[in-house]
Amino acid sequence: MNQLKKISDHFDSSDDDLVELNEMFKVPKTENYVEMVPLFNNLQYKEHFRISRRVTEELTKRYEMSEYYHHQEGNSPKISGLKQVTIFLWFAVSSFSIVADRFNISKSFLFKIIHRVTDFMSNLSIDFIKWPNQQEILESENYFRGREFPGALL
């Protein structure tokens, strides 16, 4: 913070100086990353997003038909379902700042997208997460107990 104070002391409060100061601290964002994604081959795609392109496309179709995609607050521009799902997937394997930079969006807009797509995915869990029955729980408990990890499931 002292460094910022030293730098700001060199400027007066004129609009030109404030614009110049703002430009000095502006973090550049990566532009057009999402437009490069379709150029990835299947292996590159899976390396970047940890799932196949086919799964991403299926998630996108379901997301675009959901209430989550159609609910938007604020004045942020509407972006495609594919871009929102891609942002979410990148976020899941990356960090907040890197994702905002990579997709050329603000962190606050990223937060809104992550919240919306997380809610959507959470509601899909009933279609994909299958809880074990009592017999399967006992078998798994015995498995872990035999590896000196008792009480893992019970």
Side-chain angles (χ1 to χ4, degrees):
M1 193 63 168
N2 285 339
Q3 184 129 6
L4 180 59
K5 176 74 174 129
K6 287 178 189 175
I7 292 171
S8 66
D9 286 345
H10 293 288
F11 295 94
D12 61 32
S13 61
S14 73
D15 287 345
D16 289 340
D17 285 343
L18 292 175
V19 167
E20 185 178 343
L21 183 60
N22 186 38
E23 289 298 317
M24 287 176 61
F25 291 100
K26 186 181 268 185
V27 176
K29 297 200 180 291
T30 303
E31 293 186 27
N32 302 322
Y33 174 75
V34 76
E35 286 78 14
M36 294 174 8
V37 172
L39 302 176
F40 294 165
N41 65 35
N42 290 337
L43 180 60
Q44 291 168 322
Y45 189 91
K46 196 160 191 174
E47 286 174 352
H48 279 262
F49 298 102
R50 308 295 193 262
I51 63 172
S52 71
R53 189 184 312 270
R54 185 189 61 74
V55 171
T56 302
E57 290 167 356
E58 180 61 32
L59 281 172
T60 299
K61 284 179 198 170
R62 292 179 76 160
Y63 178 61
E64 288 176 340
M65 291 186 300
S66 77
E67 66 203 60
Y68 301 98
Y69 177 67
H70 297 287
H71 175 77
Q72 181 167 331
E73 297 173 359
N75 296 328
S76 301
K78 183 75 168 181
I79 62 175
S80 74
L82 177 60
K83 186 171 181 178
Q84 290 187 45
V85 170
T86 304
I87 287 169
F88 175 84
L89 294 172
W90 190 265
F91 173 77
V93 299
S94 192
S95 80
F96 215 72
S97 294
I98 291 171
V99 174
D101 171 65
R102 180 63 54 103
F103 287 92
N104 195 25
I105 61 174
S106 69
K107 290 178 188 174
S108 62
F109 191 38
L110 171 62
F111 175 80
K112 290 174 187 175
I113 290 170
I114 297 305
H115 182 75
R116 217 172 20 246
V117 178
T118 298
D119 285 348
F120 162 73
M121 293 244 197
S122 176
N123 283 323
L124 284 181
S125 66
I126 196 164
D127 296 338
F128 299 100
I129 298 173
K130 305 297 182 215
W131 295 105
N133 61 36
Q134 193 60 38
Q135 179 61 35
E136 293 167 328
I137 290 172
L138 291 173
E139 289 171 7
S140 294
E141 175 61 27
N142 288 334
Y143 173 84
F144 285 109
R145 185 181 310 280
R147 283 156 183 72
E148 298 182 19
F149 196 51
L153 299 177
L154 299 175

